[in-house]
Amino acid sequence: MKPAAFDYLRPSSRREACELLHEAGDDARLIAGGQSLMAVLNMRLAQPKRLIDIAGIEDLHYIERRDDHLAVGAGVTQAELLEYPGLAEAVPLLAQAMPWIGHWQTRNRGTVCGSIAHADPSAELPLCLATLGGQVVLENRRGKSRRVMAEDFFQGVLTTDRRQDELITEVRFPLARPGAEYRFREVAMRHGDFAIVALAAVIDSNRVTLGVGGVADRPVSRELARHADPSEALNALAWSLGAEDDAHATAAYRRQLIRELGRELIAGGPSDEENAHARQG
Amino acid sequence: MHARADQRIRVTLTLNGRERSGYAEPRTQLCDFLRHELGATGTHVGCEHGVCGACTVRVDGRASRSCLMLAVQAEGRRLDTVESLAGEEGLSDLQQAFRRHHALQCGFCTAGILMSCEEFLDRVADPSEAQVRDMLSGHLCRCTGYTGMVQAVLDVARTRREATVPDSQQENNDV
Ligand SMILES: Cc1cc2nc3c(=O)[nH]c(=O)nc-3n(C[C@@H](O)[C@H](O)[C@H](O)COP(=O)(O)OP(=O)(O)OC[C@H]3O[C@@H](n4cnc5c(N)ncnc54)[C@H](O)[C@@H]3O)c2cc1C
Ligand code: FES
Ligand code: FES
């Protein structure tokens, strides 16, 4: 289908973008890479009166390694972040998880911040941000910026703490801690589909932070003590997320995946290569 | 820039090496602009929501779905479509490999797939089969299947590698 008609605006600064958002109220939508929004517009699931394209804002195009985090500006595509030379060393979880986001072709245009803004409960980037305890930076038309922790930012299916006149300017992924290990696993119908269950883990000597995507209405991250046998903790986690049946999988299957993949992930599971092979399916 | 919904906006871009312009409403998808306004009907349109990959073109070199882009967003960009591949000498090496390996039947998906494969081959000189399959996962082919395509891409990667002789050797050959 074709989108319903809308005005198209391309501001050249953040301030102008926020001003336009404020002016138009609920009638406006921002567009970044368009890899989620254009499908929604084409199917007329949304019919905004104004589309505000952030592609013309020059100073959003940066990846910066700072003291304790990697900052990714709203102009950066998923492909560009994946190609960032120090990624596997700076934020190893991203290097493992990002190849699972859609396809080569969608990553060429889809942005990192757009995925965070969209807040799909099965999406990989929100899961990584929540598991690592990262932050979202938002700016309003007065040029005021605020930072929100991932756990407060994601509030439900496609629902976030972003206010109507705010632009996400940057997301911050904490840098890898020495001694910690980072692991990611996902099960989807086919590679490139949204996850049925995705798990991300940060493994320290005495504890495990386990993030789960695709089950609750948002990515959920929990700390588990690093017992010899994590089965009980994983079972409790699996039951706590309110899994539901849908077209892709039953709730029982999702709980089982959390238990099985969780155990594998914590134990060290199959290598990345086996993982890569499995996803060719 | 502020374009009203009912306004027809002039869009100028470089299509397959030539500057071209046409008019588009804000809501006009890039694929429709290419086909209906510029007459470049080589690019096909399947699902119109980003899933099938039939509409894939290269935007500033990057394989992208032209149904998920607006014509107005392509202003000033370099676009390459399937029409860019064959030259005066006939089909390109990749197109010939697709024919040789029976990588198409109806050809509906092929125009998009070729554009992804071209970007992929530019970036990954020595791909594994798994990498090729991963790249192809962004496309749906409903009648041929993917085995022939995988073989065609690996084949072209090999011949292109062999053709890029290091500079020093090239000089010797010339002598
Ligand atoms: C075939 C296909 C498969 C896919 N598979 C996956 C997958 O497996 N996993 C996955 O995570 N994603 C997947 N996606 C979606 C992913 O590609 C998108 O890139 C991502 O969800 C949105 O990023 P975008 O830049 O394209 O944002 P857009 O589509 O432009 O915008 C998405 C939403 O975010 C808002 N927004 C965007 N940028 C900002 C900003 N800076 N500030 C405030 N609001 C903003 C927009 O208003 C809109 O509501 C898939 C898409 C396709 C087409
Ligand atoms: S028509 Fe664009 S992806 Fe199917
Ligand atoms: S050749 Fe017919 S759909 Fe691919």
Side-chain angles (χ1 to χ4, degrees):
Chain A
M1 275 175 70
K2 314 292 177 193
F6 47 73
D7 289 356
Y8 174 81
L9 301 101
R10 194 161 51 213
S12 52
S13 72
R14 309 157 179 227
R15 271 301 249 295
E16 194 189 341
C18 295
E19 202 60 66
L20 290 170
L21 275 173
H22 174 75
E23 235 174 64
D26 288 339
D27 286 342
R29 284 295 276 275
L30 287 174
I31 184 164
Q35 301 301 289
S36 295
L37 186 61
M38 276 299 294
V40 168
L41 297 181
N42 290 353
M43 293 190 279
R44 300 202 179 187
L45 298 173
Q47 304 192 10
K49 295 215 164 52
R50 290 179 159 197
L51 202 62
I52 303 169
D53 191 343
I54 65 169
I57 309 176
E58 296 267 329
D59 62 354
L60 292 176
H61 208 110
Y62 60 87
I63 303 174
E64 262 173 43
R65 189 179 170 144
R66 305 198 185 127
D67 283 349
D68 61 351
H69 64 265
L70 189 72
V72 182
V76 176
T77 63
Q78 293 148 14
E80 286 164 344
L81 182 55
L82 258 173
E83 286 159 14
Y84 177 72
L87 186 68
E89 182 233 336
V91 191
L93 188 60
L94 286 180
Q96 291 179 53
M98 289 188 66
W100 291 86
I101 308 171
H103 311 279
W104 169 291
Q105 300 81 357
T106 63
R107 294 192 296 267
N108 271 345
R109 280 196 63 77
T111 63
V112 173
C113 289
S115 172
I116 300 295
H118 193 56
D120 188 296
S122 309
E124 290 80 5
L125 285 168
L127 172 61
C128 291
L129 197 72
T131 309
L132 296 173
Q135 291 182 331
V136 182
V137 183
L138 301 121
E139 212 172 281
N140 69 12
R141 72 199 160 98
R142 281 180 290 276
K144 270 217 166 128
S145 81
R146 64 184 182 112
R147 284 174 305 180
V148 183
M149 292 298 296
E151 59 175 322
D152 301 319
F153 184 75
F154 300 112
Q155 298 191 339
V157 180
L158 312 188
T159 307
T160 69
D161 185 46
R162 184 179 85 85
R163 294 173 195 144
Q164 193 273 326
D165 67 343
E166 282 178 328
L167 175 71
I168 296 175
T169 56
E170 173 180 310
V171 280
R172 298 179 170 182
F173 294 96
L175 295 180
R177 276 181 276 122
E181 261 194 73
Y182 297 84
R183 297 178 192 154
F184 181 85
R185 287 294 309 266
E186 173 168 325
V187 170
M189 292 291 273
R190 293 162 307 177
H191 178 54
D193 287 4
F194 276 97
I196 291 173
V197 170
L199 294 183
V202 186
I203 307 200
D204 287 301
S205 55
N206 57 350
R207 69 194 160 110
V208 176
T209 309
L210 189 66
V212 184
V215 184
D217 65 352
R218 68 194 85 176
V220 173
S221 152
R222 297 273 166 80
E223 295 227 337
L224 314 178
R226 204 169 168 196
H227 292 310
D229 181 6
S231 303
E232 226 168 276
L234 285 169
N235 188 45
L237 173 63
W239 279 102
S240 72
L241 299 178
E244 284 179 28
D245 295 348
D246 66 17
H248 304 296
T250 61
Y253 181 57
R254 289 196 158 88
R255 286 191 292 270
Q256 185 65 4
L257 282 176
I258 295 172
R259 289 187 288 257
E260 291 294 322
L261 292 183
R263 210 160 35 80
E264 271 179 37
L265 206 62
I266 294 168
S271 68
D272 283 352
E273 218 172 67
E274 281 169 300
N275 203 352
H277 197 72
R279 72 167 197 250
Q280 301 310 328
Chain B
M1 172 181 191
H2 184 161
R4 271 189 344 265
D6 56 359
Q7 204 174 333
R8 282 172 61 78
I9 306 135
R10 191 178 166 86
V11 177
T12 304
L13 45 79
T14 306
L15 178 62
N16 302 327
R18 276 183 54 208
E19 195 179 290
R20 297 287 307 272
S21 344
Y23 288 86
E25 288 177 11
R27 64 169 168 158
T28 308
Q29 295 157 344
L30 177 59
C31 52
D32 288 343
F33 179 74
L34 290 172
R35 291 176 55 87
H36 305 316
E37 187 72 11
L38 301 185
T41 52
T43 301
H44 292 166
V45 183
C47 66
E48 294 195 319
H49 60 270
V51 176
C52 74
C55 65
T56 304
V57 300
R58 291 179 76 174
V59 181
D60 292 334
R62 301 265 188 180
S64 313
R65 284 146 160 45
S66 60
C67 72
L68 297 186
M69 221 177 132
L70 299 167
V72 287
Q73 294 180 302
E75 170 67 34
R77 307 262 197 154
R78 180 164 56 84
L79 263 89
D80 295 288
T81 62
V82 69
E83 285 98 337
S84 68
L85 297 182
E88 275 168 18
E89 318 82 63
L91 297 181
S92 72
D93 56 348
L94 182 65
Q95 289 171 311
Q96 287 176 32
F98 263 58
R99 175 188 266 181
R100 211 167 40 247
H101 290 279
H102 305 288
L104 68 150
Q105 291 183 76
C106 77
F108 191 84
C109 66
T110 314
I113 289 178
L114 289 171
M115 299 322 286
S116 280
C117 293
E118 281 293 352
E119 192 213 84
F120 179 76
L121 286 164
D122 283 351
R123 283 176 188 278
V124 190
D126 191 3
S128 66
E129 178 177 335
Q131 284 175 302
V132 177
R133 287 190 178 275
D134 187 54
M135 174 270 297
L136 287 173
S137 77
H139 291 274
L140 296 179
C141 174
R142 296 290 79 179
C143 68
T144 305
Y146 303 90
T147 307
M149 296 181 206
V150 172
Q151 281 162 1
V153 174
L154 291 173
D155 195 355
V156 172
R158 199 178 319 111
T159 44
R160 287 192 189 175
R161 271 199 316 280
E162 284 163 9
T164 27
V165 192
D167 278 355
S168 55
Q169 240 173 301
Q170 194 123 36
E171 272 165 34
N172 290 343
N173 286 349
D174 287 347
V175 170

